Amino acid sequence: MKHVFTALLFFTVTLAHAAEIVVHEGESIHNALRQAREWRRTNDARCKGGITITIEAGRYYMQEPLFLRPEDSGTKESPLIIRGIGENHKSYICGDARQKHTQVWPTEGMERLIAFNTTDRTITIPTPPKNVLDSLKPHLSPLTSHLSPLEMVVHQRWAIAILRVKEMKVQGAKTVVSFMEPESRLEFEHPWPQPVIGGERGNSSFLLRTTEQRDGIEQLAIIDGANYVTFDNITFARTCWNRPLHKGHVTLQGGFPLVDAYKLKEKPGLPWDSGLENQAWVERPVSAVTVRNAHHVTFDRVVFEGLAATALDFVDNISDCRVQGCTFGNIGGTAIMGGSFAESPREVHRPYTDLASRCQRLTIERNVIVDAATEDWGAVAIGLGYVRDCTISNNYVNRVNYSGICVGWGWTPLDTGMKNNRIIGNSVKGYARQLYDAGGIYTLSNQPGSVITGNDISQPYPAPYATNNRGFCIYLDAHTDGFTIENNTTEGRLIRRDEIGDNHPGPNLIFKQ
């Protein structure tokens, strides 16, 4: 009896019947997972046929991520299912509310830059009104360092930069702004993208803002090495994005922050690309739910909402995973990410051949993604890097600030192992709302045996601050090759070949009207 009483004190769960653990609001999901793990460890008879952790409707606040380890793995015959119950009152796994920004100047929209000086590492802007300047001074003073930092958000064609302001020097109608490190070095040393001065559609733009909240919860669940796991009818909600508060945010593309970057000044070009002039090392954006070193992990009818960075990320060494019937809303970064993007310590522009096999047979189908890339405008709705045998089908995407569905990485015509990727029957609307060099469907590099078919894609949104006109329903960027493209529509008609954006496409593209 003493042993049973101790167990009840330790595990705040109710065992409803064999193979089911019920968690009530106010109890610990971590403890429920530990109980399931112990059943696996001891070969308990209740494991036969699978274990279900049922989370009753309510809010479950996480101080640390739910961490699923190899020992939590199910099997094909005995999976682990973590499910919510209740139609109207959902089962929320949640963290802190996202950081709030106050746009200081202009109060709405953006203003145009005047100059971008890579030597002095400064940006020149129109001088704000005196009352605005007076309100900004405390945020720049060491004596008031407890106040929210002042940030400049800069529009950079296919990305944004978030730069912490160090100093503002008023020079009549112009003000010269300098920035904190490391973002100052990264912003001014890396050649692409940078703000455009005198572009096709005018200079790049900016806004000034403060961020009221400091660090908060960024991650809700990490599935690392756990196989045959299903999340069903759960809601993941409310996470923060802390990186810009400490390092700023300067990206290469697709929301990937630079950790080092510079332009080749002596003899630019490398053996695999004679025109290459930029070197870049990136890190992966933080994600609310992370999957790695796992296979047969499924998200079914899961809701992701109010997440400040990436919502769901299949990082590395994954296969046979699925995201089906899920809903993503108000996502600060990319909604669904998968595959390697040659993160540091690798340099991103090399043609790697060992990465595509590390994300294969990922299926993303029948999901709804609305309002992605709301914090980092350069993020996307669905973004896959080095992948193969992956399917993106019958998803609905609407309101995203850069591209909608993106597959491929590497900017290379060479064979890297990417192949047999399928983008089929998706509906993509309201993309490129802020940034151009974008596509409703966007691809990179050589991907033999791949298809883009049966998709319905709106025309790109008339982005108000874009500095060029490079927005396309389908954008075949940087050596895209190996795709068969057919039966894609826009505004009720078939998309013509001459409407598809090209950037040095390969010789093995097949277009069928």
Side-chain angles (χ1 to χ4, degrees):
M1 289 299 294
K2 181 179 179 182
H3 175 76
V4 173
F5 181 71
T6 303
L8 288 174
L9 286 176
F10 185 73
F11 298 115
T12 58
V13 298
T14 302
L15 308 185
H17 54 76
E20 183 177 28
I21 304 171
V22 179
V23 186
H24 304 283
E25 188 172 16
E27 297 178 341
S28 170
I29 304 173
H30 297 276
N31 287 347
L33 184 61
R34 182 177 297 183
Q35 174 68 84
R37 185 183 307 136
E38 288 303 294
W39 286 353
R40 298 278 187 194
R41 184 184 67 83
T42 59
N43 250 350
D44 193 289
R46 284 169 288 196
C47 296
K48 187 176 181 181
I51 302 173
T52 297
I53 297 175
T54 297
I55 302 174
E56 290 196 335
R59 292 186 175 271
Y60 299 81
Y61 291 93
M62 310 298 286
Q63 299 303 313
E64 58 180 333
L66 189 66
F67 189 8
L68 278 71
R69 302 164 172 83
E71 292 76 15
D72 297 311
S73 291
T75 65
K76 184 177 181 180
E77 295 75 23
S78 177
L80 172 65
I81 299 171
I82 301 176
R83 68 177 186 126
I85 57 174
E87 291 296 325
N88 298 320
H89 189 187
K90 300 176 181 177
S91 304
Y92 287 86
I93 297 176
C94 51
D96 296 328
R98 285 161 57 169
Q99 288 97 346
K100 292 183 178 180
H101 309 297
T102 297
Q103 187 166 327
V104 181
W105 190 72
T107 55
E108 294 182 2
M110 305 183 86
E111 287 282 340
R112 295 289 187 185
L113 300 177
I114 295 174
F116 185 81
N117 190 318
T118 58
T119 301
D120 297 337
R121 296 186 180 178
T122 59
I123 293 176
T124 302
I125 63 173
T127 296
K130 184 179 184 304
N131 65 314
V132 173
L133 286 173
D134 290 342
S135 71
L136 298 180
K137 288 178 182 177
H139 295 275
L140 300 173
S141 170
L143 299 177
T144 55
S145 59
H146 63 284
L147 292 180
S148 305
L150 179 65
E151 298 174 336
M152 178 183 283
V153 178
V154 184
H155 186 293
Q156 300 189 170
R157 192 157 280 191
W158 65 82
I160 62 166
I162 301 174
L163 311 172
R164 294 171 299 161
V165 175
K166 179 180 179 181
E167 188 177 24
M168 298 178 67
K169 293 183 178 180
V170 177
Q171 299 176 353
K174 300 179 181 179
T175 293
V176 179
V177 187
S178 59
F179 307 96
M180 302 285 194
E181 299 293 353
E183 63 265 38
S184 179
R185 172 180 61 84
L186 297 168
E187 173 72 359
F188 292 97
E189 285 190 357
H190 188 249
W192 295 105
Q194 283 182 344
V196 173
I197 303 297
E200 297 172 34
R201 291 172 55 179
N203 295 0
S204 290
S205 305
F206 75 95
L207 59 87
L208 296 172
R209 73 184 189 189
T210 58
T211 301
E212 282 63 49
Q213 182 181 328
R214 300 301 297 177
D215 291 355
I217 301 297
E218 293 184 305
Q219 295 182 282
L220 299 175
I222 299 173
I223 299 92
D224 192 349
N227 308 316
Y228 289 101
V229 176
T230 294
F231 289 86
D232 178 28
N233 199 32
I234 297 289
T235 296
F236 291 103
R238 296 167 46 122
T239 55
C240 294
W241 182 33
N242 301 330
R243 188 180 196 279
L245 297 173
H246 304 284
K247 298 180 180 180
H249 184 62
V250 181
T251 67
L252 176 72
Q253 186 174 345
F256 282 84
L258 294 167
V259 295
D260 197 10
Y262 56 87
K263 183 175 181 177
L264 295 171
K265 296 180 179 179
E266 296 183 11
K267 299 181 180 179
L270 292 165
W272 53 89
D273 189 338
S274 61
L276 185 64
E277 64 176 4
N278 56 324
Q279 298 282 278
W281 292 261
V282 300
E283 68 182 23
R284 207 167 184 103
V286 68
S287 53
V289 180
T290 301
V291 183
R292 56 178 176 252
N293 303 315
H295 59 81
H296 293 94
V297 176
T298 298
F299 295 84
D300 189 4
R301 300 184 302 158
V302 173
V303 175
F304 299 80
E305 64 181 33
L307 307 172
T310 304
L312 173 60
D313 191 359
F314 296 88
V315 177
D316 179 56
N317 192 25
I318 70 99
S319 63
D320 301 291
C321 294
R322 305 182 71 89
V323 187
Q324 57 191 25
C326 296
T327 301
F328 297 77
N330 192 13
I331 306 300
T334 294
I336 306 172
M337 185 181 291
S340 174
F341 289 80
E343 298 90 345
S344 182
R346 300 181 189 237
E347 198 281 324
V348 296
H349 296 96
R350 293 172 178 259
Y352 297 105
T353 59
D354 63 322
L355 296 178
S357 63
R358 300 188 68 81
C359 182
Q360 56 185 325
R361 298 188 299 280
L362 172 62
T363 299
I364 301 169
E365 64 180 3
R366 296 181 289 102
N367 303 288
V368 174
I369 301 172
V370 178
D371 287 322
T374 59
E375 295 277 352
D376 182 350
W377 296 350
V380 301
I382 300 173
L384 303 186
Y386 282 99
V387 299
R388 71 184 193 191
D389 301 303
C390 293
T391 300
I392 303 172
S393 66
N394 300 301
N395 300 284
Y396 176 80
V397 173
N398 197 355
R399 296 204 298 270
V400 60
N401 284 316
Y402 178 47
S403 295
I405 297 172
C406 304
V407 180
W409 199 243
W411 302 273
T412 178
L414 302 177
D415 182 4
T416 62
M418 291 187 287
K419 63 180 181 179
N420 301 334
N421 296 311
R422 297 167 293 277
I423 308 172
I424 302 173
N426 302 283
S427 176
V428 183
K429 313 292 182 184
Y431 61 95
R433 293 177 68 85
Q434 296 289 354
L435 305 175
Y436 266 34
D437 272 83
I441 294 175
Y442 172 102
T443 59
L444 279 171
S445 301
N446 186 15
Q447 304 179 46
S450 297
V451 298
I452 302 172
T453 183
N455 302 282
D456 183 50
I457 311 163
S458 72
Q459 291 293 310
Y461 192 84
Y465 304 103
T467 54
N468 67 15
N469 292 303
R470 295 186 63 78
F472 308 96
C473 296
I474 299 173
Y475 187 12
L476 310 176
D477 199 6
H479 304 295
T480 292
D481 203 0
F483 279 88
T484 296
I485 305 167
E486 61 181 327
N487 296 325
N488 300 287
T489 59
T490 184
E491 298 178 346
R493 61 173 179 81
L494 291 174
I495 297 173
R496 302 189 310 271
R497 179 65 182 91
D498 62 1
E499 296 178 295
I500 294 176
D502 284 337
N503 182 7
H504 301 94
N508 299 308
L509 287 167
I510 300 172
F511 180 83
K512 299 179 181 179
Q513 187 66 48

